[in-house]
Amino acid sequence: MSTTRTAVEIASQPATWRQAARTLPRHVAALPRRGERVAVVGCGTSWFMALAYAELRESGGHGETDAFAASEFPHGRRYDRVVALTRSGTTSEVLAVLSRLRGTVPTGAVTADPATPVADLAEELAVLDFADEESVVQTRFATTALALFRAHLEAEGALPEGVATVEDAARDAEQALTAPLDEDVLTAEQFTFLGSGWTYGLALEAGLKMREAAGAWTEAYPAMEYRHGPISITGPGRVAWGLGALPAGLADDVRKVGGILSESGLDPLADLIRAQRLAVAVAEARGLNPDTPRNLTRSVVLSDVHA
């Protein structure tokens, strides 16, 4: 078992998800109200969590919800509230959005560190300091933020049909931490992650983890788009990994072309933990240290980004 800092933080996720659910009342002020038209912004991993949450919230009937990479936020649109995700509280593009919106629309932010510029720009903060990380590569903060959003929807009676409670997801996460990874997946040369609805954001995040930590060749698509081109990359030694249930017939399509199929039956957020573990394992097999990924820093702070 890996002893890297990244692996230690991955292993803590069932506990941080449960803590997010327990501490929900102190964070509610920063979260959307039922019926509000909301935009959620973030960068990198936080953007992918925003995509997942936006689909969960809207399909659960809590309110119309869009998600944007902060650099692409459409300032010409009207929203009742804008929520930002930023682990560090210093990400330039997120701060630029909040600065420009200040005084014009209610804003909230979910962060790990309140002693950062985001505290001066967002009207309300949800502080998940217990899920902060030393690692450059995000794992537990991102999933804990999504667990907080899920817990809020659960408390509001707005979890979409078929989406489990945070407690059920945490139990699956414990299984995801101990279940062995298949050898043919560990030694594969290429990985395609697939998701539908809210799990498409998780598929994007799984691919990003593999690229960041292991420099692996990964792609991610909506599951129904897989047949429209991406299946051409699949074959022996290449993995198609479903985050959540795959559409009918797609597993057979993967097998017909000789691909390696990975399906866990776990809650999709718990299955993301399996992908995180895979990223660490592949990195170490390649002689890389997942704690020090190539070309990355813990936060992107740009001198030329202005509000």
Side-chain angles (χ1 to χ4, degrees), residues 137-155:
V137 174
Q138 279 201 61
T139 55
R140 74 178 178 193
F141 174 77
T143 62
T144 302
L146 189 54
L148 176 71
F149 287 135
R150 281 176 69 167
H152 185 231
L153 294 177
E154 181 184 343

Side-chain angles (χ1 to χ4, degrees), residues 20-102:
R22 286 196 307 271
T23 59
L24 172 64
R26 76 177 67 157
H27 306 306
V28 166
L31 304 179
R33 283 56 162 167
R34 182 182 288 275
E36 288 183 330
R37 186 169 188 255
V38 170
V40 190
V41 300
C43 296
T45 290
S46 293
W47 173 34
F48 298 151
M49 294 300 104
L51 287 169
Y53 170 55
E55 178 63 26
L56 280 172
R57 180 174 185 261
E58 186 159 326
S59 61
H62 201 258
E64 185 177 350
T65 318
D66 295 326
F68 300 100
S71 59
E72 301 299 317
F73 182 75
H75 284 278
R77 293 191 189 177
R78 300 290 298 174
Y79 290 99
D80 299 316
R81 186 174 306 273
V82 174
V83 177
L85 289 179
T86 169
R87 174 180 67 171
S88 68
T90 61
T91 306
S92 294
E93 297 96 313
V94 171
L95 297 181
V97 169
L98 291 174
S99 178
R100 185 166 170 181
L101 292 177
R102 187 157 56 172

Side-chain angles (χ1 to χ4, degrees), residues 5 162 187 222 243 253 265-266 285 302:
R5 185 62 198 169
T187 57
L243 278 295
D253 291 341
L266 298 172
L302 305 173

Side-chain angles (χ1 to χ4, degrees), residues 54-293:
E55 178 63 26
L56 280 172
R57 180 174 185 261
E58 186 159 326
S59 61
H62 201 258
E64 185 177 350
T65 318
D66 295 326
F68 300 100
S71 59
E72 301 299 317
F73 182 75
H75 284 278
R77 293 191 189 177
R78 300 290 298 174
Y79 290 99
D80 299 316
R81 186 174 306 273
V82 174
V83 177
L85 289 179
T86 169
R87 174 180 67 171
S88 68
T90 61
T91 306
S92 294
E93 297 96 313
V94 171
L95 297 181
V97 169
L98 291 174
S99 178
R100 185 166 170 181
L101 292 177
R102 187 157 56 172
T104 66
V105 61
T107 57
V110 181
T111 187
D113 187 353
T116 55
V118 73
D120 297 324
L121 295 174
E123 294 178 11
E124 300 286 350
L125 287 184
V127 180
L128 307 181
D129 49 358
F130 57 87
D132 202 358
E133 298 159 321
E134 295 178 14
S135 299
V136 172
V137 174
Q138 279 201 61
T139 55
R140 74 178 178 193
F141 174 77
T143 62
T144 302
L146 189 54
L148 176 71
F149 287 135
R150 281 176 69 167
H152 185 231
L153 294 177
E154 181 184 343
E156 299 260 311
L159 269 183
E161 184 177 356
V163 177
T165 66
V166 171
E167 176 55 34
D168 286 342
R171 284 196 288 265
D172 276 6
E174 290 167 340
Q175 295 183 48
L177 288 168
T178 58
L181 298 168
D182 292 340
E183 186 63 26
D184 55 354
V185 173
L186 285 167
T187 57
E189 66 169 343
Q190 190 274 337
F191 307 84
T192 300
F193 295 95
L194 305 171
S196 297
W198 73 280
T199 71
Y200 172 51
L202 303 186
L204 290 168
E205 172 59 8
L208 180 62
K209 287 290 89 70
M210 292 292 292
R211 288 190 293 275
E212 288 179 328
W217 174 14
T218 63
E219 302 181 19
Y221 300 95
M224 287 298 289
E225 286 295 308
Y226 180 63
R227 299 179 180 91
H228 297 274
I231 195 171
S232 64
I233 206 65
T234 305
R238 297 177 179 180
V239 174
W241 182 306
L243 278 295
L246 291 174
L250 197 144
D252 289 339
D253 291 341
V254 172
R255 296 187 183 100
K256 285 176 185 176
V257 297
I260 302 163
L261 180 69
S262 179
E263 290 184 289
S264 72
L266 298 172
D267 183 275
L269 192 58
D271 199 34
L272 180 58
I273 290 179
R274 293 177 63 242
Q276 294 169 346
R277 290 178 56 213
L278 176 66
V280 170
V282 171
E284 293 183 329
R286 295 180 177 186
L288 303 174
N289 184 348
D291 289 347
T292 56

